[in-house]
Amino acid sequence: MSDLSLKDLMVPVEDYASVPLGASILEGILALKEAQHREFREDPERHRDRAVLVKDEQGEVVGKLTMWSIIGCLEPNYHRVKGGAASSMAASRVGTARAMVEGVMESSHLWRSRLRTIARDTAHLKVQDLLHEPRKKELIDENSSLETAIHQLSTGHFMSLLVTRNNRIVGVLRLVDVFDAVCRMIGCEDIRAPVDSGNTSTI
């Protein structure tokens, strides 16, 4: 598909916002916001980061704190709702899609709680409380093909992949950068070439 390497497209670890494993959720949020503001000042057209890397005491990347994980921790019963309340069995008991959604939200107490209070109560959480060890499909070797990266991003619905070199995380491959690369390739294709009217073949 392309001669572009993942090393050409990834954001190196040293250029990506990061926090230590013991940082608070608030520190993680501030680090992300600060990075976004800095990126805008330095290059207004650069895509903003949507996560911060998390490093251990040795400075090695052990995962990433994403917007999804931060928003998810504001849901009082997030894991319970995600795992069971919206199951097909529950749907059959409720009877309609609308009633099912209302039931899920009612059981989670999301709308019966004040979001500001929930956010304040979440402030004591640490980054490591939300972190999970990167799954194999969230990792990709720097020498892998762009086709492989596209496959992992699309099948996993990931916003980014962690790029590895000799089993060490060395960069972040963002969906938006892969998308831009694909768009540039499509733009180079002469898809609007005129059809030869003299050729009547239907093969």
Side-chain angles (χ1 to χ4, degrees):
M1 177 184 286
S2 170
D3 293 331
L4 280 175
S5 71
L6 301 192
K7 287 179 282 189
D8 296 325
L9 295 177
M10 74 176 191
V11 179
V13 162
E14 54 270 21
D15 294 338
Y16 209 91
S18 65
V19 293
L21 193 56
S24 68
I25 298 301
L26 177 58
E27 289 173 319
I29 293 172
L30 293 177
L32 178 56
K33 298 300 290 183
E34 181 181 347
Q36 291 177 332
H37 289 313
R38 183 181 66 254
E39 291 157 4
F40 181 77
R41 290 194 304 270
E42 295 174 354
D43 183 1
E45 296 188 4
R46 182 184 186 274
H47 294 296
R48 307 283 83 80
D49 291 338
R50 297 292 183 263
V52 291
L53 297 176
V54 181
K55 296 183 177 180
D56 62 17
E57 294 179 353
Q58 287 71 46
E60 296 293 328
V61 176
V62 293
K64 59 184 177 180
L65 180 68
T66 66
M67 288 183 172
W68 280 119
S69 57
I70 293 171
I71 292 296
C73 77
L74 298 179
E75 165 68 75
N77 296 312
Y78 174 70
H79 297 292
R80 185 151 59 97
V81 170
K82 184 179 179 182
S87 66
S88 58
M89 184 177 296
S92 65
R93 288 198 303 267
V94 174
T96 67
R98 180 181 178 85
M100 182 189 72
V101 171
E102 291 175 351
V104 170
M105 299 314 299
E106 176 70 16
S107 66
S108 72
H109 299 288
L110 180 59
W111 304 124
R112 292 189 297 172
S113 302
R114 293 170 56 230
L115 187 57
R116 193 177 300 275
T117 300
I118 297 172
R120 187 176 63 241
D121 292 343
T122 304
H124 71 279
L125 290 175
K126 298 293 185 181
V127 168
Q128 59 192 7
D129 295 328
L130 303 185
L131 204 64
H132 67 269
E133 183 178 352
R135 292 165 291 177
K136 184 176 180 180
K137 57 186 178 181
E138 296 178 83
L139 303 171
I140 187 166
D141 186 87
E142 66 175 357
N143 295 313
S144 297
S145 66
L146 183 56
E147 290 89 342
T148 299
I150 291 173
H151 174 74
Q152 287 185 224
L153 287 165
S154 59
T155 58
H157 297 282
F158 297 126
M159 296 302 295
S160 64
L161 299 174
L162 295 172
V163 183
T164 62
R165 177 189 305 144
N166 298 325
N167 296 319
R168 289 183 64 246
I169 296 172
V170 295
V172 180
L173 182 68
R174 305 182 304 178
L175 173 64
V176 67
D177 294 323
V178 172
F179 178 77
D180 281 352
V182 171
C183 287
R184 288 195 297 272
M185 284 188 289
I186 293 174
C188 290
E189 296 293 336
D190 190 11
I191 59 175
R192 292 174 295 178
V195 177
D196 183 358
S197 59
N199 185 0
T200 58
S201 172
T202 58
I203 295 177

